[in-house]
Amino acid sequence: MTSFVRSYTDKLSYQPGETVELFSGADGPTDASVRLVLLDKALGEDAALPAEPTEIAWAGGGRYPIGEQETCIGSFAHVTLPAPPSALSEYSLGAWVWCPSPAVASRQAIVSSVDPASSAGISLALVDGHLALVAGAGPDAEVLASVDEPLRPATWYLALGSVEAKGRTLQALPADPLYGTPIVATSPATAATPLNLTLGLTIGGAAAREMVVNGGVARGIAQDRFNGKIEAPFVTAATFSPSEAATAQVLYDAVMQSVVVGVDFTATPGERSFEFDVVPSGIGSGLLLNGPTRAMVGHTWRGQVMAFVEAPEHYGAIHFHDTDIVDAGWNVTLTEVLPTELPSGIYGIEIRTADAVDTVPLFVTPAEGTVRKKIAVLIPTFSYLAYANEFLFAGPIDFEATKLGDLKLTSADHARYDGGPYGRSCYDTHADGSGVSISTSRRPILNLRHDDANWLNGGGRGLSGDMYLIEWLVQFGFEFDIISDLEVHQQGLEALTPYNVILTGAHPEYDSIEMMDAFLAYRDGGGKLMYLGGNGFYWKTAVASESPFVIEVRRGYAGIRAWESHPGETYLASTGERGGLWRHNGRPPQELVGVGFCAQGWGVGQPYLRTPASKDPAAEWIFDGVDETAIGDYGRVLGGAAADEVDRADFRLGTPSDAFIVASAGGHSNHMQRVIEEIQMNVDGHGGGQQDPEVKADMVYFTTPLGGAVFSVGSIGWSGSLLSKDGENGISRLTCNVLTRFAAG
Ligand SMILES: [Fe+2]
């Protein structure tokens, strides 16, 4: 008897005929029947499960044995030394360290050399927040020496452990003496603990094994993983006694005189970001495993620069977390090519055991060189990744109190929260409170499912929210291709030009500069965009070219954000670009699609009301056959078309001056609150939907000189209304009018 089956594939989007690798696991050995299915049905009213998907003939279908899988999670670094120095009997291990929460885990290795097979070896570590020398790894490892006083949170220390015949010495010297006094301890030696570097050196963990470089990332497994920043770790052949005169920097300079192996974590953007330099040059090579955060300020940073590319020497730190993940590294369950004639669409690999089922989505794009449909649906995969395994419901905000109705948590919600077995989302923080800036698709993503009922809006959100649009397109006989964010990111305009019209998903929040440029060029070159969502084009997103299944965001200090960047850490390590909101990078969404994020909240959704501008002959056609006065006072997402997160027009932020604001939806309850970046002074009376006239969704239409056009609805809830009343409703009719005209070219 098993209780779950969970799975992922090597990518999110494929072409027909391309090979798919499926990775499946369960909580015990079992047999799974696997089949390929077409996903074109959405959640029903009250989040009722979608209709059964249609099976597609596929050579990969069949029965497969599956069982427990070991997940590569928790970042660390490893130095391989092909010709290691001979074993040292007297030596020191050390690094600069900075921990927001030094005791967040009981055992955390800073620098170690421990054999994963025999557990022989030594680590400089934190034991319940106290600097220590530890023999072996794991909960049973022996503490050889430790200091009495714990490290202070968020304080840079030079941490040093010296081992010599007469005893052991630990020193933690604050980089700035204002923030703590040196913490030292000495203990007599009871047995020799030579340092054998044959297995190399592990940093931020101990007893490293299963280390693999694949697809532009490195993954592996280690024990005692560290939560915090480590800078310039080292091994020296000298030992150091406590000296009252020594400052941290003086001691560090002395240490460097006798360094045997040193590490340079300084970041440079670009290829092979999983590597780092080891000194002296030629002695070895370094690997970063499971995706720690690079380009972090080090112990010398005092606000001299805000971009790591300008002064890399101040960015010598890497932040390790025991919840980092870039590739779960499971054993492959099956490898098979997709059918070569598979039409573009959303498919799923369904994995069914006697007790459980999981359906992993595949976004199948058209094959190269094939005739394209006139319509493309752009699947916001970068947004899916940013929200992957999100558990904001367990975070510091009391969502129960800020929304209407109870939180309805599903088993998938509980499973991704309990221990965070498959890593966290860019909406969560790591165990030490620092933000999650990296997300990968190479892991089970429990909320990236076509039938996921969202805890926040009570309906579909993410992929399950976009399934409303897919089912509606099929129901109304529109033929369409599927493309994903990644194709637009990698191919730019070329991914968009085959189409007369591009439809976005309901929540296309994360975009790279390549994507923003492509959308603009498409629109201005005569293409037509239907932005059928809210909170779109909001966060600047980076993708490392060598690992396109990983995205990176930096929250900065503004916008609706689940965490805030440390000062000086707003630049994206993957590309060297400044992160944060697109609005604050000079590209407000209003400039691209006429509207931009203005409010969010989870009360009842509101309908749109036409404006006088909608009667203009140039725009009136949008409403042909729409006889509702209140358009969209129904829907599967919070009961109304303008719901969840909404956008407004603003001519000062770039809405084109001749744009038609053809309808607006306001009057939300005070659950709906104005976004933070629009509030400069916090004074009485902001209220929310009931007081603030700028809390609204605007429906906007405009054309561009070369025949392009944009239609934006500014609401995540829009597509949740398409299928109401069997699709016979004003939102559906209106969408149909615009799509029919735009698709005609
Ligand atoms: Fe959002």
Side-chain angles (χ1 to χ4, degrees):
M1 175 88 183
T2 53
S3 63
F4 64 77
V5 54
R6 291 177 191 144
S7 311
Y8 64 96
T9 50
D10 58 323
K11 302 197 294 177
L12 293 177
S13 58
Y14 296 87
Q15 287 189 17
E18 221 181 322
T19 302
V20 176
E21 289 182 312
L22 174 73
F23 308 86
S24 283
D27 51 341
T30 185
D31 232 28
S33 81
V34 172
R35 60 179 190 149
L36 183 66
V37 292
L38 174 67
L39 300 178
D40 60 3
K41 297 288 190 299
L43 293 168
E45 298 288 348
D46 299 322
L49 282 177
E52 269 295 298
T54 315
E55 184 170 353
I56 306 289
W58 182 41
R63 292 194 75 77
Y64 295 85
I66 59 170
E68 287 184 54
Q69 297 263 20
E70 191 171 30
T71 302
C72 295
I73 186 166
S75 59
F76 59 99
H78 190 76
V79 174
T80 306
L81 301 163
S86 47
L88 301 169
S89 54
E90 298 203 325
Y91 55 90
S92 298
L93 304 171
W96 295 96
V97 296
W98 182 91
C99 303
S101 185
V104 71
S106 178
R107 300 292 175 101
Q108 304 181 75
I110 302 167
V111 185
S112 77
S113 180
V114 175
D115 184 341
S118 67
S119 278
I122 189 164
S123 301
L124 179 69
L126 295 183
V127 175
D128 298 324
H130 300 249
L131 190 64
L133 281 162
V134 176
D140 301 328
E142 182 193 355
V143 178
L144 301 171
S146 70
V147 299
D148 290 338
E149 202 182 319
L151 298 192
R152 288 185 181 212
T155 302
W156 275 109
Y157 286 94
L158 177 64
L160 184 68
S162 296
V163 176
E164 54 193 324
K166 65 179 189 209
R168 305 182 182 99
T169 305
L170 285 160
Q171 302 186 61
L173 275 65
D176 183 338
L178 192 60
Y179 297 96
T181 49
I183 306 167
V184 298
T186 55
S187 68
T190 52
T193 40
L195 184 69
N196 178 353
L197 292 172
T198 313
L199 289 167
L201 202 61
T202 305
I203 297 140
R209 60 187 173 87
E210 316 276 337
M211 290 177 280
V212 175
V213 175
N214 180 31
V217 295
R219 64 171 194 256
I221 291 170
Q223 298 190 62
D224 300 350
R225 288 144 327 187
F226 192 75
N227 290 278
K229 290 179 187 172
I230 298 178
E231 182 180 16
F234 55 82
V235 174
T236 77
T239 59
F240 300 89
S241 305
S243 151
E244 282 183 15
T247 64
Q249 194 64 46
V250 167
L251 180 58
Y252 179 71
D253 291 343
V255 161
M256 285 296 105
Q257 301 301 313
S258 54
V259 71
V260 175
V261 182
V263 163
D264 180 5
F265 281 155
T266 304
T268 46
E271 302 296 301
R272 302 187 75 78
S273 58
F274 53 85
E275 292 181 342
F276 57 86
D277 290 337
V278 180
V279 293
S281 157
I283 191 173
S285 58
L287 269 189
L288 290 172
L289 300 108
N290 302 344
T293 313
R294 299 199 78 162
M296 299 275 100
V297 297
H299 78 281
T300 61
W301 185 85
R302 288 287 186 282
Q304 299 93 331
V305 291
M306 302 304 276
F308 73 95
V309 286
E310 286 173 25
E313 66 275 18
H314 292 303
Y315 287 81
I318 286 181
H319 203 138
F320 297 90
H321 313 92
D322 62 8
T323 43
D324 281 327
I325 185 168
V326 282
D327 181 352
W330 286 9
N331 294 319
V332 69
T333 303
L334 78 88
T335 303
E336 187 54 71
V337 292
L338 290 169
T340 49
E341 301 300 319
L342 201 58
S344 175
I346 303 180
Y347 295 85
I349 301 180
E350 185 190 270
I351 305 102
R352 187 179 289 274
T353 66
D355 314 301
V357 63
D358 189 24
T359 307
V360 192
L362 309 177
F363 305 106
V364 177
T365 67
E368 248 167 74
T370 54
V371 177
R372 305 300 178 92
K373 306 287 190 334
K374 292 182 165 57
I375 300 167
V377 178
L378 173 58
I379 300 296
T381 45
F382 290 178
S383 298
Y384 296 170
L385 285 180
Y387 280 93
N389 290 338
E390 157 269 312
F391 52 85
L392 263 174
F393 52 81
I397 296 170
D398 182 357
F399 278 95
E400 188 99 60
T402 60
K403 74 187 280 289
L404 188 66
D406 302 334
L407 296 187
K408 289 190 186 133
L409 298 181
T410 64
S411 58
D413 292 329
H414 286 294
R416 65 177 183 268
Y417 168 58
D418 292 341
Y422 313 121
R424 303 183 178 200
S425 80
C426 300
Y427 286 79
D428 303 307
T429 50
H430 292 288
D432 67 4
S434 56
V436 179
S437 59
I438 289 166
S439 181
T440 178
S441 69
R442 286 197 177 167
R443 56 173 169 156
I445 300 176
L446 307 189
N447 57 347
L448 178 43
R449 294 294 179 262
H450 73 291
D451 56 359
D452 182 66
N454 181 258
W455 63 271
L456 185 56
N457 71 14
R461 208 170 195 249
L463 173 59
S464 56
D466 291 331
M467 293 309 297
Y468 297 128
L469 174 64
I470 299 296
E471 180 173 333
W472 179 83
L473 288 167
V474 172
Q475 184 181 323
F476 280 77
F478 289 105
E479 295 198 336
F480 58 94
D481 284 340
I482 291 287
I483 54 173
S484 84
D485 284 349
L486 185 62
E487 284 74 52
V488 182
H489 170 77
Q490 290 181 326
Q491 301 161 24
L493 182 59
E494 207 180 301
L496 305 173
T497 42
Y499 300 103
N500 286 353
V501 55
I502 305 290
L503 278 64
T504 72
H507 197 173
E509 186 176 348
Y510 291 82
D511 300 273
S512 66
I513 193 161
E514 290 83 356
M515 293 165 68
M516 295 294 273
D517 288 347
F519 296 140
L520 207 58
Y522 173 75
R523 183 197 78 177
D524 293 345
K528 297 182 173 67
L529 281 174
M530 288 178 77
Y531 166 38
L532 301 179
N535 184 220
F537 317 100
Y538 192 59
W539 291 105
K540 191 170 182 178
T541 307
V543 179
S545 56
E546 75 268 36
S547 51
F549 48 93
V550 179
I551 62 155
E552 183 190 7
V553 292
R554 297 285 171 116
R555 296 292 184 200
Y557 325 117
I560 294 290
R561 59 201 188 281
W563 50 269
E564 186 160 285
S565 299
H566 186 285
E569 295 176 355
T570 58
Y571 281 68
L572 295 147
S574 316
T575 57
E577 301 165 289
R578 183 180 183 275
L581 296 186
W582 272 115
R583 173 180 176 141
H584 297 153
N585 279 283
R587 304 279 289 263
Q590 280 92 343
E591 219 175 77
L592 178 67
V593 290
V595 296
F597 189 29
C598 66
Q600 67 171 18
W602 297 279
V604 177
Q606 292 296 305
Y608 291 79
L609 303 176
R610 290 177 64 168
T611 63
S614 74
K615 304 283 167 56
D616 189 294
E620 204 171 12
W621 59 271
I622 294 170
F623 298 89
D624 283 352
V626 178
D627 48 21
E628 295 165 7
T629 306
I631 306 168
D633 55 352
Y634 43 78
R636 297 184 189 175
V637 174
L638 297 163
D644 199 331
E645 298 183 357
V646 295
D647 299 0
R648 66 180 180 89
D650 191 327
F651 296 103
R652 291 160 306 176
L653 286 171
T655 303
S657 54
D658 58 353
F660 296 99
I661 301 169
V662 292
S664 294
H668 295 82
S669 70
N670 282 345
H671 289 105
M672 190 67 96
Q673 289 285 323
R674 192 81 170 273
V675 295
I676 295 161
E677 63 271 24
E678 301 212 331
I679 297 170
Q680 276 81 45
M681 292 214 192
N682 212 357
V683 295
D684 186 26
H686 284 312
Q690 291 296 301
Q691 282 88 24
D692 186 342
E694 298 296 334
V695 170
K696 59 174 180 164
D698 285 331
M699 191 187 301
V700 165
Y701 166 67
F702 63 92
T703 56
T704 63
L706 293 182
V710 174
F711 173 73
S712 297
V713 300
S715 164
I716 286 180
W718 181 272
S719 49
S721 301
L722 287 169
L723 295 165
S724 296
K725 305 171 190 173
D726 293 325
E728 297 302 320
N729 69 67
I731 295 289
S732 167
R733 182 63 193 251
L734 205 156
T735 311
C736 197
N737 289 344
V738 178
L739 181 55
T740 303
R741 180 174 288 216
F742 279 12

